[in-house]
Amino acid sequence: MIQQDYALETKALNLYYGSAQALIDVDIKIPKNQVTALIGPSGCGKSTLLRCFNRMNDLIPNCTLSGSILYHGEEITGRSTDVVELRKRIGMVFQQPNPFPKSIYENVIYGPKVHGVKDRKQLDEIAERSLKGAAILDEVKDRIHDAARGLSGGQQQRLCIARTLSVGPDIILMDEPCSALDPIATAKIENLITELKEEYTVVIVTHNMQQAARVSDYTGFMYMGRLIEFDSTSVIFERPKEELTENYITGRFG
Amino acid sequence: MKDHYHKELDAYQISVGEYSLFALTMLRDAFDAFSSLDRELACEIAGGMENVCIQTGEPAMHQEIHVPRKVFLSMRSDQLEEQGLRLIALHQPVASDLRTIACCMNLITSAERIGRYGKDICHCTYKLPEGIHIRGMARLPEMAEGALSMLEDALHAFQTRDLSILEGFSRRDDVIDELRYLIYEDCITIMEEDPRTIPYCATYLLVDRYLERCADHACKTAEKIHYMITGERVDIR
């Protein structure tokens, strides 16, 4: 692989939920300003790995890990890491759109306000920039103070992306962002993902292999806690090297 | 148990193999028709000379085989292409499945071209006076055997996924190329010596070219089969 900057990197990462091992010796390098997809059957550890990147697993009791996770070369597994700051830099979007029960505008500026931005003009700018970045500004600009829950599922999901963008991250993690959406809304999110990589590094977990093939530059295939194969998306989907990968993506599994 | 999609994919490969064999047989029969100057057989393959043929043969029989093989060749090529497109559209194949369908599509195109060369050879048969060939048809029989055996082996490799069959294809193609120029030189000399040989030698030069193209298709097909099986590109020729 060509020498390049990595936004995230894990080394010999092992993770346990109690005594059950969910990740086994995972070494992965997530290239900067690229879209990386993680695929694999349910329970393979792809969401667990994604959640490691912004320390979401801290919230789970009995969850322990060993090995290292580097964010732009900096270790983030230690106690000294400021998790709040880290999550500002590494945003996350979930499967089910989860806007706050507030207006569209309040949703987007919620994060910056928590982080201490008070100036109304500045908040307006952040709102506009974030909504624009999430490709939803045109659809909501005339009703920005309406309830966010009144938006369609696809719009809510893009609003959630806007909310993530508002605090100025450089990495966006997406866990099945389109699974609850119809094909048109899905296509909009996929287009958006492709645009986002201009400014952000995107890591997406998806069950939809065609989606992984469409939106990502790199793909990692995981199985039973291990990263089986990691390569450019075209290699994974046209001529994978590992038989496990081949069997999974062609549907010959089990 | 195999799922429907993989059963369909298996069946598709079998159909494509059968179609390749059909085209290959068409070429073989066309060359036989040419060698024996058998217009009836040529007409059964390529059509177009029905009037001449029906006068010489038994009319009833010819009415039964009135659809020449070239019609089936082009019809079936479209059908198989559509089947392949349907598999892609409905199942979004990846990895070896995708490479297999891509290879099948290439095979269909090649087979159709090969069958068409058979048809062209039949047209050469029509051009020659009935009777016998001159000078043992230069070295065309040898060349036809070489090209046909390459096509057979390529098809065999496709059906068995045995890459070892494709070893030596470059060398075999070189032999064909050499023969092509030898035949060319020979024909020029023969024509210079005796202008009455021109109708024969002119068709030999055409057939010479068609057979060389067929061997080239065999090489191209071999490359595609190699990619289908291994995912690695190779250059054969």
mmCIF file of all heavy atoms in Angstrom, chain A residues 30-68:
data_model
loop_
_atom_site.group_PDB
_atom_site.id
_atom_site.type_symbol
_atom_site.label_atom_id
_atom_site.label_comp_id
_atom_site.label_asym_id
_atom_site.label_seq_id
_atom_site.Cartn_x
_atom_site.Cartn_y
_atom_site.Cartn_z
ATOM 1 N N ILE A 30 -6.663 3.201 9.081
ATOM 2 C CA ILE A 30 -7.739 3.892 8.375
ATOM 3 C C ILE A 30 -7.143 5.116 7.670
ATOM 4 O O ILE A 30 -6.698 6.060 8.323
ATOM 5 C CB ILE A 30 -8.834 4.365 9.369
ATOM 6 C CG1 ILE A 30 -9.311 3.204 10.253
ATOM 7 C CG2 ILE A 30 -9.968 5.048 8.622
ATOM 8 C CD1 ILE A 30 -10.206 2.194 9.599
ATOM 9 N N PRO A 31 -7.087 5.109 6.346
ATOM 10 C CA PRO A 31 -6.465 6.237 5.635
ATOM 11 C C PRO A 31 -7.292 7.516 5.746
ATOM 12 O O PRO A 31 -8.514 7.479 5.781
ATOM 13 C CB PRO A 31 -6.424 5.759 4.174
ATOM 14 C CG PRO A 31 -6.768 4.314 4.198
ATOM 15 C CD PRO A 31 -7.575 4.078 5.422
ATOM 16 N N LYS A 32 -6.554 8.604 5.807
ATOM 17 C CA LYS A 32 -7.155 9.930 5.959
ATOM 18 C C LYS A 32 -7.896 10.350 4.686
ATOM 19 O O LYS A 32 -7.459 10.030 3.578
ATOM 20 C CB LYS A 32 -5.994 10.907 6.208
ATOM 21 C CG LYS A 32 -6.343 12.092 7.050
ATOM 22 C CD LYS A 32 -5.095 12.944 7.250
ATOM 23 C CE LYS A 32 -5.474 14.398 7.198
ATOM 24 N NZ LYS A 32 -4.328 15.282 7.142
ATOM 25 N N ASN A 33 -8.979 11.073 4.871
ATOM 26 C CA ASN A 33 -9.783 11.585 3.754
ATOM 27 C C ASN A 33 -10.207 10.515 2.750
ATOM 28 O O ASN A 33 -10.274 10.747 1.545
ATOM 29 C CB ASN A 33 -9.049 12.713 3.017
ATOM 30 C CG ASN A 33 -9.032 13.976 3.846
ATOM 31 O OD1 ASN A 33 -8.072 14.226 4.572
ATOM 32 N ND2 ASN A 33 -10.094 14.725 3.784
ATOM 33 N N GLN A 34 -10.473 9.348 3.308
ATOM 34 C CA GLN A 34 -10.986 8.261 2.483
ATOM 35 C C GLN A 34 -12.178 7.683 3.218
ATOM 36 O O GLN A 34 -12.341 7.900 4.423
ATOM 37 C CB GLN A 34 -9.927 7.160 2.314
ATOM 38 C CG GLN A 34 -8.631 7.623 1.686
ATOM 39 C CD GLN A 34 -8.729 7.732 0.172
ATOM 40 O OE1 GLN A 34 -9.182 6.830 -0.497
ATOM 41 N NE2 GLN A 34 -8.318 8.867 -0.362
ATOM 42 N N VAL A 35 -12.991 6.938 2.478
ATOM 43 C CA VAL A 35 -14.099 6.243 3.124
ATOM 44 C C VAL A 35 -13.685 4.788 3.307
ATOM 45 O O VAL A 35 -13.286 4.129 2.347
ATOM 46 C CB VAL A 35 -15.386 6.316 2.274
ATOM 47 C CG1 VAL A 35 -16.513 5.555 2.951
ATOM 48 C CG2 VAL A 35 -15.782 7.763 2.026
ATOM 49 N N THR A 36 -13.743 4.321 4.540
ATOM 50 C CA THR A 36 -13.408 2.931 4.823
ATOM 51 C C THR A 36 -14.660 2.212 5.301
ATOM 52 O O THR A 36 -15.349 2.704 6.193
ATOM 53 C CB THR A 36 -12.318 2.848 5.909
ATOM 54 O OG1 THR A 36 -11.158 3.515 5.422
ATOM 55 C CG2 THR A 36 -11.974 1.403 6.236
ATOM 56 N N ALA A 37 -14.951 1.089 4.691
ATOM 57 C CA ALA A 37 -16.132 0.323 5.099
ATOM 58 C C ALA A 37 -15.702 -0.915 5.854
ATOM 59 O O ALA A 37 -14.702 -1.545 5.518
ATOM 60 C CB ALA A 37 -16.947 -0.081 3.869
ATOM 61 N N LEU A 38 -16.452 -1.247 6.895
ATOM 62 C CA LEU A 38 -16.230 -2.501 7.618
ATOM 63 C C LEU A 38 -17.433 -3.388 7.370
ATOM 64 O O LEU A 38 -18.571 -2.979 7.609
ATOM 65 C CB LEU A 38 -16.083 -2.233 9.130
ATOM 66 C CG LEU A 38 -14.894 -1.364 9.546
ATOM 67 C CD1 LEU A 38 -14.970 -1.043 11.041
ATOM 68 C CD2 LEU A 38 -13.574 -2.049 9.215
ATOM 69 N N ILE A 39 -17.160 -4.575 6.817
ATOM 70 C CA ILE A 39 -18.255 -5.500 6.557
ATOM 71 C C ILE A 39 -17.992 -6.821 7.272
ATOM 72 O O ILE A 39 -16.861 -7.079 7.712
ATOM 73 C CB ILE A 39 -18.443 -5.764 5.036
ATOM 74 C CG1 ILE A 39 -17.172 -6.359 4.419
ATOM 75 C CG2 ILE A 39 -18.844 -4.483 4.317
ATOM 76 C CD1 ILE A 39 -17.365 -6.888 3.006
ATOM 77 N N GLY A 40 -19.037 -7.630 7.344
ATOM 78 C CA GLY A 40 -18.905 -8.919 8.010
ATOM 79 C C GLY A 40 -20.245 -9.320 8.597
ATOM 80 O O GLY A 40 -21.126 -8.487 8.750
ATOM 81 N N PRO A 41 -20.382 -10.603 8.917
ATOM 82 C CA PRO A 41 -21.671 -11.065 9.452
ATOM 83 C C PRO A 41 -21.961 -10.484 10.838
ATOM 84 O O PRO A 41 -21.050 -9.988 11.501
ATOM 85 C CB PRO A 41 -21.491 -12.586 9.528
ATOM 86 C CG PRO A 41 -20.031 -12.824 9.521
ATOM 87 C CD PRO A 41 -19.408 -11.687 8.783
ATOM 88 N N SER A 42 -23.198 -10.585 11.262
ATOM 89 C CA SER A 42 -23.578 -10.080 12.582
ATOM 90 C C SER A 42 -22.698 -10.709 13.653
ATOM 91 O O SER A 42 -22.405 -11.899 13.591
ATOM 92 C CB SER A 42 -25.038 -10.430 12.873
ATOM 93 O OG SER A 42 -25.869 -9.776 11.964
ATOM 94 N N GLY A 43 -22.282 -9.869 14.592
ATOM 95 C CA GLY A 43 -21.477 -10.383 15.690
ATOM 96 C C GLY A 43 -20.008 -10.553 15.366
ATOM 97 O O GLY A 43 -19.263 -11.125 16.147
ATOM 98 N N CYS A 44 -19.563 -10.056 14.200
ATOM 99 C CA CYS A 44 -18.163 -10.258 13.814
ATOM 100 C C CYS A 44 -17.235 -9.263 14.496
ATOM 101 O O CYS A 44 -16.023 -9.418 14.456
ATOM 102 C CB CYS A 44 -18.002 -10.154 12.302
ATOM 103 S SG CYS A 44 -18.218 -8.479 11.668
ATOM 104 N N GLY A 45 -17.819 -8.225 15.100
ATOM 105 C CA GLY A 45 -17.002 -7.243 15.818
ATOM 106 C C GLY A 45 -16.841 -5.924 15.110
ATOM 107 O O GLY A 45 -16.143 -5.036 15.587
ATOM 108 N N LYS A 46 -17.506 -5.746 13.973
ATOM 109 C CA LYS A 46 -17.289 -4.509 13.217
ATOM 110 C C LYS A 46 -17.816 -3.274 13.955
ATOM 111 O O LYS A 46 -17.150 -2.247 13.993
ATOM 112 C CB LYS A 46 -17.889 -4.611 11.802
ATOM 113 C CG LYS A 46 -19.346 -4.993 11.723
ATOM 114 C CD LYS A 46 -19.735 -5.342 10.290
ATOM 115 C CE LYS A 46 -21.244 -5.488 10.110
ATOM 116 N NZ LYS A 46 -21.848 -6.539 10.933
ATOM 117 N N SER A 47 -18.994 -3.402 14.580
ATOM 118 C CA SER A 47 -19.512 -2.258 15.345
ATOM 119 C C SER A 47 -18.665 -2.017 16.586
ATOM 120 O O SER A 47 -18.404 -0.874 16.959
ATOM 121 C CB SER A 47 -20.968 -2.493 15.758
ATOM 122 O OG SER A 47 -21.799 -2.450 14.625
ATOM 123 N N THR A 48 -18.228 -3.095 17.202
ATOM 124 C CA THR A 48 -17.364 -2.968 18.380
ATOM 125 C C THR A 48 -16.092 -2.197 18.018
ATOM 126 O O THR A 48 -15.679 -1.284 18.737
ATOM 127 C CB THR A 48 -17.000 -4.367 18.920
ATOM 128 O OG1 THR A 48 -18.200 -5.026 19.306
ATOM 129 C CG2 THR A 48 -16.067 -4.270 20.094
ATOM 130 N N LEU A 49 -15.515 -2.558 16.872
ATOM 131 C CA LEU A 49 -14.295 -1.869 16.443
ATOM 132 C C LEU A 49 -14.580 -0.390 16.201
ATOM 133 O O LEU A 49 -13.826 0.480 16.634
ATOM 134 C CB LEU A 49 -13.744 -2.531 15.170
ATOM 135 C CG LEU A 49 -12.505 -1.891 14.556
ATOM 136 C CD1 LEU A 49 -11.332 -1.899 15.546
ATOM 137 C CD2 LEU A 49 -12.088 -2.602 13.268
ATOM 138 N N LEU A 50 -15.706 -0.126 15.541
ATOM 139 C CA LEU A 50 -16.068 1.268 15.254
ATOM 140 C C LEU A 50 -16.212 2.056 16.553
ATOM 141 O O LEU A 50 -15.735 3.183 16.668
ATOM 142 C CB LEU A 50 -17.393 1.288 14.466
ATOM 143 C CG LEU A 50 -17.775 2.620 13.818
ATOM 144 C CD1 LEU A 50 -16.913 2.862 12.598
ATOM 145 C CD2 LEU A 50 -19.248 2.639 13.429
ATOM 146 N N ARG A 51 -16.844 1.421 17.520
ATOM 147 C CA ARG A 51 -17.088 2.106 18.790
ATOM 148 C C ARG A 51 -15.810 2.311 19.588
ATOM 149 O O ARG A 51 -15.760 3.188 20.461
ATOM 150 C CB ARG A 51 -18.111 1.313 19.613
ATOM 151 C CG ARG A 51 -19.497 1.297 18.969
ATOM 152 C CD ARG A 51 -20.327 0.140 19.494
ATOM 153 N NE ARG A 51 -20.551 0.255 20.934
ATOM 154 C CZ ARG A 51 -21.578 0.898 21.461
ATOM 155 N NH1 ARG A 51 -22.479 1.467 20.696
ATOM 156 N NH2 ARG A 51 -21.713 0.991 22.770
ATOM 157 N N CYS A 52 -14.784 1.524 19.297
ATOM 158 C CA CYS A 52 -13.491 1.739 19.960
ATOM 159 C C CYS A 52 -12.902 3.098 19.587
ATOM 160 O O CYS A 52 -12.192 3.723 20.366
ATOM 161 C CB CYS A 52 -12.486 0.670 19.532
ATOM 162 S SG CYS A 52 -12.733 -0.911 20.328
ATOM 163 N N PHE A 53 -13.165 3.508 18.348
ATOM 164 C CA PHE A 53 -12.488 4.693 17.831
ATOM 165 C C PHE A 53 -12.862 5.976 18.563
ATOM 166 O O PHE A 53 -12.097 6.925 18.557
ATOM 167 C CB PHE A 53 -12.744 4.842 16.321
ATOM 168 C CG PHE A 53 -12.116 3.755 15.492
ATOM 169 C CD1 PHE A 53 -12.804 3.186 14.438
ATOM 170 C CD2 PHE A 53 -10.837 3.300 15.777
ATOM 171 C CE1 PHE A 53 -12.224 2.179 13.673
ATOM 172 C CE2 PHE A 53 -10.252 2.295 15.017
ATOM 173 C CZ PHE A 53 -10.950 1.728 13.963
ATOM 174 N N ASN A 54 -14.081 6.027 19.139
ATOM 175 C CA ASN A 54 -14.352 7.217 19.960
ATOM 176 C C ASN A 54 -14.725 6.846 21.390
ATOM 177 O O ASN A 54 -15.461 7.534 22.054
ATOM 178 C CB ASN A 54 -15.382 8.142 19.306
ATOM 179 C CG ASN A 54 -16.766 7.551 19.255
ATOM 180 O OD1 ASN A 54 -16.937 6.377 19.520
ATOM 181 N ND2 ASN A 54 -17.744 8.374 18.935
ATOM 182 N N ARG A 55 -14.207 5.718 21.790
ATOM 183 C CA ARG A 55 -14.328 5.262 23.176
ATOM 184 C C ARG A 55 -15.771 5.064 23.624
ATOM 185 O O ARG A 55 -16.092 5.222 24.805
ATOM 186 C CB ARG A 55 -13.618 6.262 24.122
ATOM 187 C CG ARG A 55 -12.138 6.434 23.866
ATOM 188 C CD ARG A 55 -11.306 5.466 24.690
ATOM 189 N NE ARG A 55 -11.488 5.628 26.118
ATOM 190 C CZ ARG A 55 -10.621 6.265 26.916
ATOM 191 N NH1 ARG A 55 -9.511 6.771 26.417
ATOM 192 N NH2 ARG A 55 -10.848 6.356 28.210
ATOM 193 N N MET A 56 -16.631 4.680 22.727
ATOM 194 C CA MET A 56 -18.023 4.439 23.102
ATOM 195 C C MET A 56 -18.150 3.213 24.000
ATOM 196 O O MET A 56 -19.122 3.056 24.718
ATOM 197 C CB MET A 56 -18.888 4.216 21.851
ATOM 198 C CG MET A 56 -19.040 5.436 20.985
ATOM 199 S SD MET A 56 -20.187 6.602 21.698
ATOM 200 C CE MET A 56 -21.725 5.812 21.245
ATOM 201 N N ASN A 57 -17.159 2.316 23.916
ATOM 202 C CA ASN A 57 -17.227 1.097 24.720
ATOM 203 C C ASN A 57 -16.970 1.374 26.201
ATOM 204 O O ASN A 57 -17.219 0.522 27.046
ATOM 205 C CB ASN A 57 -16.241 0.051 24.196
ATOM 206 C CG ASN A 57 -16.644 -0.454 22.826
ATOM 207 O OD1 ASN A 57 -17.820 -0.661 22.566
ATOM 208 N ND2 ASN A 57 -15.683 -0.610 21.942
ATOM 209 N N ASP A 58 -16.467 2.601 26.515
ATOM 210 C CA ASP A 58 -16.259 2.980 27.920
ATOM 211 C C ASP A 58 -17.554 2.855 28.711
ATOM 212 O O ASP A 58 -17.545 2.632 29.916
ATOM 213 C CB ASP A 58 -15.815 4.453 28.012
ATOM 214 C CG ASP A 58 -14.379 4.623 27.548
ATOM 215 O OD1 ASP A 58 -13.848 3.670 26.940
ATOM 216 O OD2 ASP A 58 -13.820 5.706 27.771
ATOM 217 N N LEU A 59 -18.671 3.011 27.991
ATOM 218 C CA LEU A 59 -19.969 3.034 28.670
ATOM 219 C C LEU A 59 -20.462 1.639 29.026
ATOM 220 O O LEU A 59 -21.421 1.478 29.742
ATOM 221 C CB LEU A 59 -21.017 3.708 27.772
ATOM 222 C CG LEU A 59 -20.629 5.092 27.238
ATOM 223 C CD1 LEU A 59 -21.622 5.576 26.210
ATOM 224 C CD2 LEU A 59 -20.533 6.082 28.399
ATOM 225 N N ILE A 60 -19.773 0.628 28.459
ATOM 226 C CA ILE A 60 -20.243 -0.746 28.684
ATOM 227 C C ILE A 60 -19.485 -1.363 29.854
ATOM 228 O O ILE A 60 -18.253 -1.412 29.865
ATOM 229 C CB ILE A 60 -20.045 -1.590 27.408
ATOM 230 C CG1 ILE A 60 -20.874 -0.983 26.277
ATOM 231 C CG2 ILE A 60 -20.421 -3.046 27.651
ATOM 232 C CD1 ILE A 60 -20.591 -1.568 24.922
ATOM 233 N N PRO A 61 -20.236 -1.808 30.887
ATOM 234 C CA PRO A 61 -19.557 -2.400 32.040
ATOM 235 C C PRO A 61 -18.822 -3.687 31.627
ATOM 236 O O PRO A 61 -19.257 -4.361 30.697
ATOM 237 C CB PRO A 61 -20.706 -2.748 33.008
ATOM 238 C CG PRO A 61 -21.969 -2.351 32.354
ATOM 239 C CD PRO A 61 -21.699 -1.867 30.984
ATOM 240 N N ASN A 62 -17.747 -3.980 32.273
ATOM 241 C CA ASN A 62 -16.982 -5.209 32.012
ATOM 242 C C ASN A 62 -16.259 -5.241 30.683
ATOM 243 O O ASN A 62 -15.784 -6.275 30.262
ATOM 244 C CB ASN A 62 -17.886 -6.455 32.065
ATOM 245 C CG ASN A 62 -18.258 -6.806 33.469
ATOM 246 O OD1 ASN A 62 -17.508 -6.512 34.397
ATOM 247 N ND2 ASN A 62 -19.431 -7.394 33.634
ATOM 248 N N CYS A 63 -16.231 -4.103 29.999
ATOM 249 C CA CYS A 63 -15.549 -4.090 28.712
ATOM 250 C C CYS A 63 -14.087 -3.700 28.927
ATOM 251 O O CYS A 63 -13.796 -2.653 29.478
ATOM 252 C CB CYS A 63 -16.231 -3.102 27.777
ATOM 253 S SG CYS A 63 -15.429 -3.008 26.182
ATOM 254 N N THR A 64 -13.190 -4.589 28.518
ATOM 255 C CA THR A 64 -11.763 -4.295 28.694
ATOM 256 C C THR A 64 -11.039 -4.449 27.363
ATOM 257 O O THR A 64 -11.473 -5.220 26.510
ATOM 258 C CB THR A 64 -11.118 -5.276 29.690
ATOM 259 O OG1 THR A 64 -11.458 -6.604 29.295
ATOM 260 C CG2 THR A 64 -11.587 -5.024 31.099
ATOM 261 N N LEU A 65 -9.961 -3.706 27.222
ATOM 262 C CA LEU A 65 -9.214 -3.887 25.982
ATOM 263 C C LEU A 65 -7.726 -3.794 26.198
ATOM 264 O O LEU A 65 -7.246 -3.203 27.173
ATOM 265 C CB LEU A 65 -9.677 -2.917 24.891
ATOM 266 C CG LEU A 65 -9.497 -1.417 25.007
ATOM 267 C CD1 LEU A 65 -8.100 -0.999 24.563
ATOM 268 C CD2 LEU A 65 -10.525 -0.717 24.119
ATOM 269 N N SER A 66 -6.983 -4.412 25.280
ATOM 270 C CA SER A 66 -5.528 -4.294 25.290
ATOM 271 C C SER A 66 -5.075 -3.975 23.875
ATOM 272 O O SER A 66 -5.835 -4.148 22.924
ATOM 273 C CB SER A 66 -4.902 -5.612 25.757
ATOM 274 O OG SER A 66 -5.125 -6.613 24.779
ATOM 275 N N GLY A 67 -3.845 -3.514 23.769
ATOM 276 C CA GLY A 67 -3.363 -3.085 22.461
ATOM 277 C C GLY A 67 -3.505 -1.587 22.362
ATOM 278 O O GLY A 67 -3.842 -0.920 23.347
ATOM 279 N N SER A 68 -3.233 -1.029 21.195
ATOM 280 C CA SER A 68 -3.333 0.425 21.137
ATOM 281 C C SER A 68 -4.175 0.901 19.969
ATOM 282 O O SER A 68 -4.344 0.215 18.961
ATOM 283 C CB SER A 68 -1.939 1.055 21.111
ATOM 284 O OG SER A 68 -1.336 0.814 19.878
#
